[in-house]
Amino acid sequence: MNDRNTYDLVAQIARHLTGFAPQSLRGALYLLGPDGARLAVHPLMGRAEWIVVTGLYPADSSDLRRHSVIAKTTRGPRHIAKKIARRLLPKYTRDLRQLQAKFAGRDERADLVATLSAFLPDDTIAATEQQTVIRWQLGSMSGFFKVRDHATRIEIDNADRELAERVAYAINQRST
């Protein structure tokens, strides 16, 4: 099966998968679907009548299981689409949603850290996958923020009222 025939097959498969469209990018073929779903389609090495369809994830997802199906091209695009919908998409879309939720939590955490760090001079930031800790010192005042994806712990020592109000205002603005 040559590249043109493979692209035509991918386009026909896309017609049988709701919300999917074919894409050719630098010689690779993809099925792009709803909510960021991206399936790579390529011929099976050494087997001219077979293709492999693999669900792809954004970067930083090496801990997720790869989901793929192998299909015989002579069975036709409708059969291949059904196989993808039945065997690949349920597990792949579940894992993709979990990964997207994980990234959304990190983005929210990064925004809050940037907000807090903007008005705290002399701060140091230490981040792990689970949390980000901001330690700061301003004269005799000091404190730290532990920011997790869904919770924030704030501890402030010897702070004046203005600083405490600024911190409370910044966090309140983020949650509304």
Side-chain angles (χ1 to χ4, degrees):
M1 184 168 234
N2 65 32
D3 290 342
R4 185 67 202 161
N5 290 345
T6 306
Y7 181 81
D8 290 343
L9 178 64
V10 170
Q12 292 171 18
I13 293 169
R15 285 188 217 126
H16 297 287
L17 288 172
T18 304
F20 280 83
Q23 181 189 39
S24 176
L25 183 63
R26 288 180 247 135
L29 297 173
Y30 302 97
L31 288 164
L32 302 180
D35 300 323
R38 191 168 62 127
L39 308 176
V41 181
H42 51 87
L44 185 61
M45 296 294 282
R47 311 277 310 265
E49 295 180 347
W50 294 82
I51 60 169
V52 178
V53 181
T54 304
L56 302 177
Y57 301 104
D60 191 27
S61 57
S62 58
D63 58 334
L64 290 176
R65 182 173 183 262
R66 292 280 184 219
H67 299 286
S68 59
V69 294
I70 299 172
K72 193 167 186 174
T73 58
T74 56
R75 297 290 306 264
R78 173 174 267 149
H79 172 79
I80 297 170
K82 283 182 181 178
K83 192 170 186 177
I84 292 168
R86 188 177 69 248
R87 293 193 180 166
L88 172 67
L89 289 179
K91 293 176 184 174
Y92 167 69
T93 55
R94 177 201 63 214
D95 290 349
L96 180 62
R97 273 188 250 119
Q98 288 174 349
L99 183 66
Q100 290 168 336
K102 180 179 173 182
F103 284 155
R106 285 185 188 170
D107 291 344
E108 290 173 14
R109 180 178 9 147
D111 288 347
L112 179 56
V113 167
T115 299
L116 293 171
S117 187
F119 64 84
L120 293 171
D122 300 326
D123 62 341
T124 59
I125 299 174
T128 66
E129 188 168 325
Q130 291 82 22
Q131 71 180 4
T132 302
V133 177
I134 306 169
R135 295 189 185 284
W136 55 273
Q137 178 94 30
L138 180 61
S140 65
M141 297 180 286
S142 64
F144 71 88
F145 301 96
K146 284 186 179 178
V147 183
R148 293 187 174 92
D149 291 344
H150 300 290
T152 303
R153 178 173 179 216
I154 299 172
E155 197 169 295
I156 302 173
D157 295 325
N158 300 323
D160 62 2
R161 182 180 175 130
E162 179 188 351
L163 180 61
E165 287 176 351
R166 287 172 57 191
V167 168
Y169 178 77
I171 292 172
N172 185 44
Q173 290 302 307
R174 298 245 340 108
S175 63
T176 56

